Amino acid sequence: MLDRLTGPRALLACRVLAVVAVGLLGGLAGLLAGGRVHTPAGPTDVDLSLRPSWTGGTQLQIPPLGALDLDTHAGPIRIRAQVAELHLKPATKLVENAGDTDELTDRIAEQIWRGVVKMMIRAAVVALVAAFLAGLVVFRSWRRALASMGTAAGALVLVLLTGWLTFNTNSLAEPRYTGLLANAPQVVGDSRNVVDRFTAYRAQLAHLVGNISQLYAAASTLPTYEPDPATLRVLHVSDIHLNPAAWNVIKQVVTQFKVDLVIDTGDLMDHGTKAEDKFAADISKIGAPYVYVRGNHDSRGTQAAVARQKNAIVLDDAMKTVDGLRIYGAGDPRYTPDKKTGDDYVTPQQMAATGSALAAKLRPTTTPPDIIAVHDPNETRSFTGLAPLLLAGHTHQRSTELLPSGSRLFVQGSTGGAGLRGLEHEEPTPIELSVLYFNRITHRLQGWDDLRLGGLGLTTAQIERHLEPKPDRPITPPAPPSPAPAPAAPSTTPATRPATPPATRAP
């Protein structure tokens, strides 16, 4: 056994592994050292660099506002771009002359592309030289130094091949923005009482949404999917739970994203009491139609309070066309705070049965809806195949799922951060809402922007864009349930009387 470990083959294998290791380490060091370049990008100067990463991708850092992440490719190398300097005069000219945006976008894309090519060439050259020098220093042999450089060259080819094969063409159209307010410590400082801090938090959230939406719009104007003026924009909110900060956020999003209408999938209130009805008055201050379906924390009084607002449209087992979109909505059958009904827990199976009954009434409709809005996802699933898009809330966790019928089930998080119950966990429940983009002609969903803001006391923000992979996919309506078999006809022959069982003796 010892001879095998110290034999010629073992020594040769050790030498080969040493050459490979030195080549890889030297090449990596050279790649990171040489993979840096400073390039202009419109009114800014950008520092491009390469970083080791398990996930790959591209990150644009804009200190102190935040970062824009793009899933461009798989690892092990990540491209990082950081805005180093903003030239005030060109930037001011850009803001004042909005018509120059298209030309500037093309110029920025060309400048960044040249910078990336320059960085990759420089990184490859430095990596090969570093691998050669590392081999020369360690082995003091020209041949092994060349072998180390060959190893680094092979690794570079592998990295480039991995990036090319895993390149995501939709990544530029699906950016993810994460940001932080520079004055967050002052917003939640201990020197202020709870009311003052909440007032500041509420105002800062509105400014935060405005700032990041402007930045996001500027950063996403790339030669990919971009909502045009003809695109119909729908804001989906849910589970506001009596949080007044939600109105500030909604108003800002409606303004910044040019929203055409809002759809609220319920739980506007917390207890559905008459005292809470005045909370619905802010709906009239939103500059867009407000489509609403009742949630399990909303009473019939809540529904009536919403209906009194001039721009509100209440749907309860009804369908209405709003801005060209046919929307069907149904209120939640429960009223959770009403304990007079005894046990207010309804199983998912019971909710699905309720949805199935409503879906059966909707199925014969000659003009099917474009959107179906119901509060509980367990009930919403029963409408699969009856509309391309199904909207729900209730769970306080955002999710989306493409159902086998072709319908997309979109569950919104809590736009009110779950109200006061959002503070029951270690971290406050985030405020979530989404802007949905529809084609005005086909009425099909093209993509959506998910907005996520920090819960009470937090001022982080994230915007992430998603594209609908097949917007015009066929929707397959479910087969109607087969009718129950007719009862058998009674027999005309006399029935046979069953035999009397033998008597049993009591013990």
Side-chain angles (χ1 to χ4, degrees), residues 14-38:
C14 290
R15 291 193 189 111
V16 172
L17 289 176
V19 169
V20 171
V22 170
L24 291 178
L25 292 176
L28 178 61
L31 187 72
L32 299 180
R36 299 171 180 271
V37 72
H38 188 84

Side-chain angles (χ1 to χ4, degrees), residues 161-229:
L161 189 62
T162 301
W164 179 65
L165 292 176
T166 60
F167 181 74
N168 180 13
T169 56
N170 290 331
S171 61
L172 296 179
E174 298 179 315
R176 181 174 59 257
Y177 173 79
T178 303
L180 177 67
L181 272 182
N183 60 347
Q186 286 74 22
V187 176
V188 293
D190 294 333
S191 60
R192 304 182 183 182
N193 59 43
V194 174
V195 176
D196 290 340
R197 278 188 286 161
F198 180 79
T199 302
Y201 163 75
R202 174 178 176 176
Q204 290 291 357
L205 273 185
H207 292 301
L208 176 63
V209 172
N211 292 336
I212 65 171
S213 60
Q214 290 176 359
L215 171 64
Y216 180 72
S220 62
T221 52
L222 299 168
T224 52
Y225 170 73
E226 178 68 18
D228 56 46

Side-chain angles (χ1 to χ4, degrees), residues 51 53-59 69-75 77-80:
R51 291 287 185 273
S53 170
W54 292 111
T55 58
T58 301
Q59 183 182 68
D69 291 292
L70 305 171
D71 295 326
T72 52
H73 63 280
I77 296 297
R78 184 181 188 85
I79 300 176
R80 178 185 175 187

Side-chain angles (χ1 to χ4, degrees), residues 234-318:
V234 177
L235 177 61
H236 180 204
V237 302
S238 189
D239 296 83
I240 293 175
H241 283 293
L242 214 66
N243 186 350
W247 295 129
N248 297 61
V249 174
I250 291 173
K251 292 172 188 175
Q252 276 286 352
V253 173
V254 167
T255 301
Q256 295 291 341
F257 286 79
K258 299 179 176 60
V259 168
D260 296 289
L261 66 102
V262 181
I263 298 180
D264 184 343
T265 45
D267 275 3
L268 180 66
M269 307 301 184
D270 225 7
H271 298 89
T273 62
K274 186 175 182 180
E276 295 174 339
D277 288 351
K278 61 181 180 181
F279 182 72
D282 277 66
I283 292 176
S284 62
K285 301 175 185 178
I286 295 173
Y290 196 94
V291 180
Y292 164 85
V293 295
R294 189 179 66 250
N296 62 296
H297 279 261
D298 300 329
S299 64
R300 297 280 178 174
T302 300
Q303 181 169 302
V306 173
R308 287 194 291 269
Q309 310 310 313
K310 58 183 179 181
N311 60 325
I313 300 164
V314 175
L315 297 179
D316 192 6
D317 190 19

Side-chain angles (χ1 to χ4, degrees), residues 3 48 114 153 162 202 257 359 371 494:
D3 293 340
L48 298 175
R114 285 204 304 262
T162 301
R202 174 178 176 176
F257 286 79
I371 302 174

